[in-house]
Amino acid sequence: MYDEQEQPSDHGPLAGFTVGVTAARRADELGALLERRGAAVLHAPALRIVPLADDSELLAATKDLIGQAPDIAVATTAIGFRGWVEAADGWGLGEDLLARLRGVRILARGPKVKGAIRAAGLTEEWSPASESLAEVLDRLLEEGVDGLRIAVQLHGEPLPGFVEALRDAGAEVVGVPVYRWLPPEDLGPVDRLIDAAVARTLDAVTFTSAPAAASLLSRAEERGLLDELLAALGHDVLSACVGPVTALPLQSRGIGTVQPERFRLGPLVQVLCRELPARARAFPVAGHRVEIRGHAVLVDGALKPVPPAGMSLLRALSRRPGWVVSRAELLRVLPGAGRDEHAVETAMARLRSALGTPKLIQTVVKRGYRLALDPSAESKYADG
Protein backbone atom coordinates (compact mmCIF):
# COMPACT_ATOMS: atom_id res chain seq x y z
CA MET A 1 0.00 0.00 0.00
CA TYR A 2 0.90 3.64 -0.42
CA ASP A 3 3.17 4.87 2.35
CA GLU A 4 3.45 8.55 3.28
CA GLN A 5 7.11 7.98 4.17
CA GLU A 6 9.58 8.79 1.37
CA GLN A 7 10.97 5.50 0.07
CA PRO A 8 14.75 4.98 0.01
CA SER A 9 16.18 5.52 -3.47
CA ASP A 10 19.40 5.18 -5.41
CA HIS A 11 18.83 8.30 -7.47
CA GLY A 12 19.73 11.89 -6.61
CA PRO A 13 17.30 14.51 -5.30
CA LEU A 14 17.22 16.20 -8.71
CA ALA A 15 16.50 13.04 -10.71
CA GLY A 16 13.72 13.65 -13.20
CA PHE A 17 14.29 17.41 -13.35
CA THR A 18 15.90 19.46 -16.13
CA VAL A 19 17.94 22.49 -15.06
CA GLY A 20 19.23 25.24 -17.33
CA VAL A 21 22.71 26.69 -16.70
CA THR A 22 23.31 30.21 -18.06
CA ALA A 23 26.80 30.65 -16.62
CA ALA A 24 29.78 31.39 -18.82
CA ARG A 25 32.40 30.92 -16.11
CA ARG A 26 32.46 27.72 -14.02
CA ALA A 27 29.58 26.27 -16.05
CA ASP A 28 31.23 22.84 -16.10
CA GLU A 29 31.57 22.86 -12.32
CA LEU A 30 27.93 23.85 -11.80
CA GLY A 31 26.73 21.34 -14.39
CA ALA A 32 28.70 18.55 -12.71
CA LEU A 33 27.23 19.41 -9.30
CA LEU A 34 23.72 19.23 -10.76
CA GLU A 35 24.32 16.02 -12.69
CA ARG A 36 25.79 14.28 -9.64
CA ARG A 37 22.46 14.92 -7.94
CA GLY A 38 20.54 13.41 -10.84
CA ALA A 39 19.52 16.45 -12.89
CA ALA A 40 19.53 16.65 -16.66
CA VAL A 41 21.45 19.83 -17.55
CA LEU A 42 20.77 22.17 -20.45
CA HIS A 43 23.86 24.37 -20.81
CA ALA A 44 23.30 27.69 -22.55
CA PRO A 45 25.90 30.36 -21.69
CA ALA A 46 23.98 33.62 -21.94
CA LEU A 47 27.21 35.63 -22.15
CA ARG A 48 30.87 35.37 -23.02
CA ILE A 49 33.66 37.05 -21.10
CA VAL A 50 36.05 39.16 -23.14
CA PRO A 51 39.38 40.00 -21.44
CA LEU A 52 40.52 43.56 -21.92
CA ALA A 53 44.29 43.07 -22.00
CA ASP A 54 44.53 45.36 -25.03
CA ASP A 55 41.77 47.70 -23.94
CA SER A 56 42.58 51.40 -23.71
CA GLU A 57 40.17 51.92 -20.78
CA LEU A 58 41.97 49.40 -18.57
CA LEU A 59 45.36 50.76 -19.56
CA ALA A 60 44.25 54.32 -18.81
CA ALA A 61 42.81 53.35 -15.42
CA THR A 62 45.99 51.44 -14.51
CA LYS A 63 48.25 54.39 -15.41
CA ASP A 64 45.94 56.77 -13.56
CA LEU A 65 46.16 54.71 -10.35
CA ILE A 66 49.93 54.25 -10.62
CA GLY A 67 50.30 58.00 -11.10
CA GLN A 68 47.95 58.94 -8.28
CA ALA A 69 47.45 56.25 -5.64
CA PRO A 70 43.95 55.49 -4.41
CA ASP A 71 43.20 55.46 -0.68
CA ILE A 72 41.20 52.25 -1.02
CA ALA A 73 40.99 49.48 -3.65
CA VAL A 74 37.97 47.16 -3.84
CA ALA A 75 38.57 43.78 -5.51
CA THR A 76 35.32 42.11 -6.54
CA THR A 77 36.32 38.89 -8.36
CA ALA A 78 39.38 36.64 -8.35
CA ILE A 79 39.42 36.26 -12.14
CA GLY A 80 39.13 40.02 -12.55
CA PHE A 81 41.91 40.88 -10.10
CA ARG A 82 44.25 38.29 -11.63
CA GLY A 83 43.39 39.58 -15.10
CA TRP A 84 44.24 43.12 -14.07
CA VAL A 85 47.67 42.14 -12.73
CA GLU A 86 48.37 39.98 -15.80
CA ALA A 87 47.37 42.77 -18.18
CA ALA A 88 49.60 45.23 -16.30
CA ASP A 89 52.48 42.74 -16.58
CA GLY A 90 51.89 42.58 -20.32
CA TRP A 91 52.25 46.35 -20.57
CA GLY A 92 55.39 46.33 -18.42
CA LEU A 93 53.48 48.02 -15.58
CA GLY A 94 52.98 45.03 -13.29
CA GLU A 95 55.66 45.90 -10.70
CA ASP A 96 54.58 49.54 -10.63
CA LEU A 97 50.95 48.56 -10.06
CA LEU A 98 51.77 46.12 -7.25
CA ALA A 99 54.13 48.61 -5.61
CA ARG A 100 51.37 51.19 -5.62
CA LEU A 101 48.76 48.77 -4.25
CA ARG A 102 51.04 47.74 -1.38
CA GLY A 103 50.40 51.10 0.23
CA VAL A 104 46.64 50.94 -0.27
CA ARG A 105 43.84 49.62 1.93
CA ILE A 106 42.45 46.66 -0.06
CA LEU A 107 38.96 45.31 0.53
CA ALA A 108 38.13 41.89 -0.94
CA ARG A 109 34.58 40.75 -1.66
CA GLY A 110 35.21 37.12 -0.63
CA PRO A 111 37.74 34.33 0.02
CA LYS A 112 38.51 33.61 -3.64
CA VAL A 113 39.36 37.24 -4.20
CA LYS A 114 41.52 37.17 -1.05
CA GLY A 115 43.41 34.24 -2.56
CA ALA A 116 44.09 36.20 -5.76
CA ILE A 117 45.23 39.23 -3.78
CA ARG A 118 47.65 37.19 -1.68
CA ALA A 119 48.92 35.30 -4.74
CA ALA A 120 49.97 38.69 -6.10
CA GLY A 121 51.99 39.33 -2.93
CA LEU A 122 49.47 41.76 -1.44
CA THR A 123 47.38 41.65 1.74
CA GLU A 124 43.75 42.61 2.08
CA GLU A 125 42.61 44.72 5.02
CA TRP A 126 39.13 43.20 5.29
CA SER A 127 36.67 40.85 3.61
CA PRO A 128 33.01 40.17 4.53
CA ALA A 129 32.01 36.71 5.69
CA SER A 130 28.90 36.96 3.49
CA GLU A 131 30.85 37.51 0.24
CA SER A 132 28.38 40.32 -0.39
CA LEU A 133 29.40 43.49 -2.19
CA ALA A 134 26.54 45.19 -0.33
CA GLU A 135 28.34 44.50 2.95
CA VAL A 136 31.52 46.02 1.53
CA LEU A 137 29.54 49.11 0.60
CA ASP A 138 27.93 49.32 4.04
CA ARG A 139 31.34 49.18 5.72
CA LEU A 140 32.78 51.90 3.50
CA LEU A 141 29.82 54.21 4.03
CA GLU A 142 29.84 53.58 7.76
CA GLU A 143 33.54 54.50 7.97
CA GLY A 144 33.02 57.51 5.72
CA VAL A 145 34.47 58.02 2.23
CA ASP A 146 34.16 61.76 1.75
CA GLY A 147 37.24 63.02 -0.07
CA LEU A 148 38.72 59.53 -0.56
CA ARG A 149 39.92 58.15 -3.90
CA ILE A 150 38.62 54.60 -4.35
CA ALA A 151 39.58 52.13 -7.09
CA VAL A 152 36.84 49.59 -7.85
CA GLN A 153 37.66 46.53 -9.95
CA LEU A 154 34.51 46.07 -12.03
CA HIS A 155 33.36 42.51 -12.65
CA GLY A 156 32.09 42.51 -16.19
CA GLU A 157 29.41 45.15 -15.92
CA PRO A 158 29.23 48.59 -14.32
CA LEU A 159 28.19 48.58 -10.68
CA PRO A 160 25.94 51.65 -10.71
CA GLY A 161 24.39 51.17 -7.27
CA PHE A 162 27.79 50.57 -5.67
CA VAL A 163 29.70 53.26 -7.53
CA GLU A 164 26.95 55.88 -7.31
CA ALA A 165 26.52 55.35 -3.57
CA LEU A 166 30.23 55.97 -3.04
CA ARG A 167 30.18 59.07 -5.23
CA ASP A 168 27.08 60.40 -3.47
CA ALA A 169 28.98 60.01 -0.20
CA GLY A 170 31.79 62.21 -1.53
CA ALA A 171 34.30 59.68 -2.88
CA GLU A 172 36.21 59.89 -6.13
CA VAL A 173 35.70 56.50 -7.79
CA VAL A 174 38.05 55.11 -10.44
CA GLY A 175 36.52 52.13 -12.23
CA VAL A 176 38.88 49.34 -13.34
CA PRO A 177 37.10 47.48 -16.20
CA VAL A 178 39.06 44.23 -16.37
CA TYR A 179 36.73 42.26 -18.63
CA ARG A 180 33.39 42.72 -20.33
CA TRP A 181 30.31 40.60 -20.87
CA LEU A 182 29.13 40.27 -24.47
CA PRO A 183 26.38 38.14 -26.02
CA PRO A 184 27.53 34.61 -26.91
CA GLU A 185 28.86 34.09 -30.42
CA ASP A 186 26.50 31.11 -30.83
CA LEU A 187 22.95 32.04 -29.81
CA GLY A 188 21.60 28.54 -30.57
CA PRO A 189 21.92 27.16 -27.01
CA VAL A 190 20.33 30.29 -25.50
CA ASP A 191 17.43 30.05 -27.95
CA ARG A 192 16.95 26.37 -27.10
CA LEU A 193 16.89 27.21 -23.39
CA ILE A 194 14.29 29.93 -23.95
CA ASP A 195 12.18 27.56 -26.06
CA ALA A 196 12.43 24.85 -23.38
CA ALA A 197 11.36 27.29 -20.67
CA VAL A 198 8.40 28.53 -22.72
CA ALA A 199 7.39 24.91 -23.46
CA ARG A 200 7.72 24.07 -19.74
CA THR A 201 10.13 21.22 -20.48
CA LEU A 202 12.60 23.00 -18.21
CA ASP A 203 12.10 22.90 -14.43
CA ALA A 204 14.60 25.53 -13.30
CA VAL A 205 17.16 28.01 -14.62
CA THR A 206 20.28 28.95 -12.67
CA PHE A 207 21.86 32.39 -12.81
CA THR A 208 25.30 33.25 -11.43
CA SER A 209 25.52 36.85 -12.66
CA ALA A 210 23.12 39.72 -13.23
CA PRO A 211 24.34 40.26 -16.82
CA ALA A 212 23.45 36.66 -17.68
CA ALA A 213 19.90 37.16 -16.42
CA ALA A 214 19.60 40.46 -18.31
CA SER A 215 21.04 38.89 -21.46
CA LEU A 216 18.54 36.01 -21.41
CA LEU A 217 15.61 38.41 -21.06
CA SER A 218 17.03 40.63 -23.81
CA ARG A 219 17.38 37.70 -26.21
CA ALA A 220 13.81 36.59 -25.49
CA GLU A 221 12.64 40.13 -26.25
CA GLU A 222 14.56 40.14 -29.56
CA ARG A 223 12.71 36.96 -30.52
CA GLY A 224 9.30 38.29 -29.46
CA LEU A 225 9.11 35.73 -26.64
CA LEU A 226 9.65 37.94 -23.59
CA ASP A 227 6.06 37.82 -22.33
CA GLU A 228 5.96 34.03 -22.76
CA LEU A 229 9.30 33.60 -20.99
CA LEU A 230 8.23 35.85 -18.11
CA ALA A 231 5.01 33.86 -17.78
CA ALA A 232 6.99 30.61 -17.60
CA LEU A 233 9.48 31.97 -15.07
CA GLY A 234 6.64 33.45 -13.06
CA HIS A 235 4.78 30.19 -12.53
CA ASP A 236 6.32 26.96 -13.80
CA VAL A 237 10.08 27.37 -14.23
CA LEU A 238 12.04 28.13 -11.06
CA SER A 239 14.66 30.91 -11.20
CA ALA A 240 17.58 30.13 -8.90
CA CYS A 241 20.10 32.94 -8.41
CA VAL A 242 23.44 32.79 -6.62
CA GLY A 243 22.69 36.03 -4.77
CA PRO A 244 20.53 39.18 -4.56
CA VAL A 245 22.54 41.23 -7.06
CA THR A 246 22.20 38.47 -9.64
CA ALA A 247 18.43 38.39 -9.05
CA LEU A 248 17.84 42.10 -9.72
CA PRO A 249 17.10 41.91 -13.50
CA LEU A 250 14.52 39.18 -12.84
CA GLN A 251 12.96 40.86 -9.81
CA SER A 252 12.63 44.12 -11.74
CA ARG A 253 10.33 42.17 -14.10
CA GLY A 254 8.28 40.79 -11.22
CA ILE A 255 9.91 37.33 -11.24
CA GLY A 256 10.37 35.68 -7.87
CA THR A 257 13.66 33.90 -7.28
CA VAL A 258 15.25 31.53 -4.77
CA GLN A 259 18.75 32.16 -3.43
CA PRO A 260 21.14 30.44 -1.03
CA GLU A 261 22.26 32.14 2.16
CA ARG A 262 25.89 31.77 1.05
CA PHE A 263 26.54 33.06 -2.45
CA ARG A 264 28.35 29.99 -3.78
CA LEU A 265 27.62 27.25 -6.33
CA GLY A 266 27.32 24.44 -3.76
CA PRO A 267 24.63 26.18 -1.69
CA LEU A 268 22.86 27.19 -4.94
CA VAL A 269 22.58 23.51 -5.90
CA GLN A 270 21.40 22.67 -2.38
CA VAL A 271 18.56 25.17 -2.77
CA LEU A 272 17.47 23.40 -5.95
CA CYS A 273 17.68 20.01 -4.19
CA ARG A 274 15.22 21.36 -1.65
CA GLU A 275 12.92 23.46 -3.84
CA LEU A 276 12.35 21.31 -6.93
CA PRO A 277 11.20 18.11 -5.14
CA ALA A 278 8.95 20.27 -2.95
CA ARG A 279 7.24 21.62 -6.10
CA ALA A 280 6.59 18.14 -7.55
CA ARG A 281 3.04 16.81 -7.28
CA ALA A 282 2.57 13.51 -5.45
CA PHE A 283 -0.55 11.33 -5.32
CA PRO A 284 -1.65 8.03 -3.74
CA VAL A 285 -2.61 6.03 -6.85
CA ALA A 286 -3.68 2.36 -6.92
CA GLY A 287 -1.77 1.61 -3.73
CA HIS A 288 1.39 3.40 -4.87
CA ARG A 289 2.98 6.78 -4.28
CA VAL A 290 3.31 8.59 -7.60
CA GLU A 291 5.40 11.77 -7.78
CA ILE A 292 5.39 13.67 -11.07
CA ARG A 293 8.64 15.42 -11.94
CA GLY A 294 9.79 17.24 -15.06
CA HIS A 295 10.71 14.36 -17.36
CA ALA A 296 10.25 11.36 -15.07
CA VAL A 297 7.97 9.88 -12.43
CA LEU A 298 8.81 8.35 -9.07
CA VAL A 299 6.68 5.29 -8.36
CA ASP A 300 7.22 4.27 -4.72
CA GLY A 301 10.58 6.04 -4.88
CA ALA A 302 11.72 4.25 -8.07
CA LEU A 303 12.64 6.55 -10.94
CA LYS A 304 10.69 5.94 -14.17
CA PRO A 305 11.81 8.03 -17.18
CA VAL A 306 8.80 8.94 -19.33
CA PRO A 307 8.75 10.16 -22.97
CA PRO A 308 7.60 13.80 -23.52
CA ALA A 309 4.22 12.75 -24.95
CA GLY A 310 3.58 10.55 -21.92
CA MET A 311 4.49 13.38 -19.53
CA SER A 312 2.01 15.63 -21.34
CA LEU A 313 -0.75 13.07 -20.81
CA LEU A 314 0.20 12.47 -17.19
CA ARG A 315 0.19 16.17 -16.37
CA ALA A 316 -3.24 16.54 -17.94
CA LEU A 317 -4.57 13.65 -15.84
CA SER A 318 -2.92 15.00 -12.67
CA ARG A 319 -4.60 18.37 -13.01
CA ARG A 320 -7.85 16.59 -12.09
CA PRO A 321 -6.67 13.48 -10.22
CA GLY A 322 -9.33 10.79 -10.10
CA TRP A 323 -11.52 12.49 -12.69
CA VAL A 324 -12.04 11.22 -16.23
CA VAL A 325 -10.25 13.19 -18.94
CA SER A 326 -11.59 12.68 -22.46
CA ARG A 327 -9.49 11.50 -25.39
CA ALA A 328 -10.26 14.74 -27.20
CA GLU A 329 -8.88 16.78 -24.31
CA LEU A 330 -5.81 14.58 -24.05
CA LEU A 331 -5.27 14.87 -27.79
CA ARG A 332 -5.02 18.64 -27.42
CA VAL A 333 -2.07 18.37 -25.02
CA LEU A 334 -0.11 15.93 -27.19
CA PRO A 335 2.62 17.78 -29.09
CA GLY A 336 2.09 17.51 -32.85
CA ALA A 337 -0.61 14.84 -32.55
CA GLY A 338 -3.00 16.27 -35.15
CA ARG A 339 -6.64 15.10 -35.02
CA ASP A 340 -6.33 11.34 -34.74
CA GLU A 341 -7.38 10.16 -31.27
CA HIS A 342 -5.50 6.94 -31.96
CA ALA A 343 -2.37 8.97 -31.10
CA VAL A 344 -3.68 9.22 -27.53
CA GLU A 345 -4.00 5.42 -27.28
CA THR A 346 -0.47 4.92 -28.62
CA ALA A 347 1.03 7.51 -26.25
CA MET A 348 -0.99 6.09 -23.34
CA ALA A 349 0.32 2.58 -24.00
CA ARG A 350 3.89 3.89 -23.96
CA LEU A 351 3.20 5.84 -20.77
CA ARG A 352 1.86 2.77 -18.98
CA SER A 353 4.84 0.77 -20.15
CA ALA A 354 7.24 3.45 -18.86
CA LEU A 355 5.53 3.56 -15.48
CA GLY A 356 5.75 -0.21 -15.16
CA THR A 357 2.46 -0.33 -13.27
CA PRO A 358 -0.40 -0.31 -15.81
CA LYS A 359 -3.15 -0.03 -13.19
CA LEU A 360 -2.06 3.49 -12.23
CA ILE A 361 -4.12 4.80 -15.17
CA GLN A 362 -7.60 3.43 -15.77
CA THR A 363 -9.39 3.32 -19.11
CA VAL A 364 -13.01 4.43 -18.82
CA VAL A 365 -14.79 2.93 -21.82
CA LYS A 366 -16.10 5.48 -24.33
CA ARG A 367 -15.14 8.34 -22.01
CA GLY A 368 -11.35 8.57 -21.61
CA TYR A 369 -8.78 7.93 -18.89
CA ARG A 370 -8.28 8.71 -15.22
CA LEU A 371 -5.60 8.43 -12.57
CA ALA A 372 -6.66 5.57 -10.30
CA LEU A 373 -6.63 7.73 -7.19
CA ASP A 374 -6.99 5.71 -3.98
CA PRO A 375 -10.55 5.83 -2.60
CA SER A 376 -9.37 7.30 0.71
CA ALA A 377 -8.02 10.30 -1.18
CA GLU A 378 -11.08 10.88 -3.38
CA SER A 379 -12.63 13.41 -1.01
CA LYS A 380 -9.39 15.38 -0.86
CA TYR A 381 -9.45 15.93 -4.61
CA ALA A 382 -13.22 15.88 -5.15
CA ASP A 383 -13.39 19.56 -6.05
CA GLY A 384 -10.87 19.02 -8.84
Side-chain angles (χ1 to χ4, degrees), residues 26-38:
R26 302 180 67 195
D28 291 344
E29 180 183 349
L30 178 54
L33 287 171
L34 292 166
E35 288 173 348
R36 279 204 294 270
R37 287 155 181 82

Side-chain angles (χ1 to χ4, degrees), residues 132-297:
S132 167
L133 202 55
E135 194 171 336
V136 176
L137 178 61
D138 289 344
R139 182 182 177 96
L140 288 170
L141 295 179
E142 189 176 306
E143 292 178 349
V145 296
D146 188 24
L148 297 183
R149 180 173 166 86
I150 302 177
V152 179
Q153 174 244 311
L154 306 176
H155 57 91
E157 81 277 13
L159 302 169
F162 187 88
V163 171
E164 287 173 5
L166 292 176
R167 286 179 174 151
D168 289 344
E172 176 193 355
V173 180
V174 180
V176 181
V178 183
Y179 51 89
R180 286 185 179 150
W181 302 103
L182 293 176
E185 292 179 332
D186 180 7
L187 288 167
V190 175
D191 288 346
R192 286 192 288 274
L193 186 145
I194 292 170
D195 292 341
V198 168
R200 274 65 168 183
T201 56
L202 198 63
D203 299 293
V205 186
T206 60
F207 299 95
T208 57
S209 73
S215 178
L216 188 74
L217 297 177
S218 175
R219 178 57 183 168
E221 189 168 24
E222 288 174 9
R223 296 181 59 206
L225 293 173
L226 180 59
D227 288 344
E228 292 178 60
L229 178 62
L230 292 175
L233 296 177
H235 299 285
D236 304 304
V237 181
L238 182 66
S239 295
C241 298
V242 78
V245 174
T246 296
L248 288 175
L250 297 163
Q251 291 175 344
S252 70
R253 297 280 190 167
I255 303 303
T257 64
V258 295
Q259 303 162 27
E261 290 184 8
R262 294 178 62 240
F263 310 145
R264 305 290 289 276
L265 296 187
L268 176 64
V269 173
Q270 290 169 10
V271 167
L272 288 172
C273 290
R274 182 175 66 248
E275 294 286 339
L276 284 179
R279 290 160 64 101
R281 303 189 70 190
F283 306 97
V285 180
H288 301 275
R289 183 184 190 276
V290 175
E291 180 180 318
I292 301 173
R293 296 191 169 192
H295 61 261
V297 177

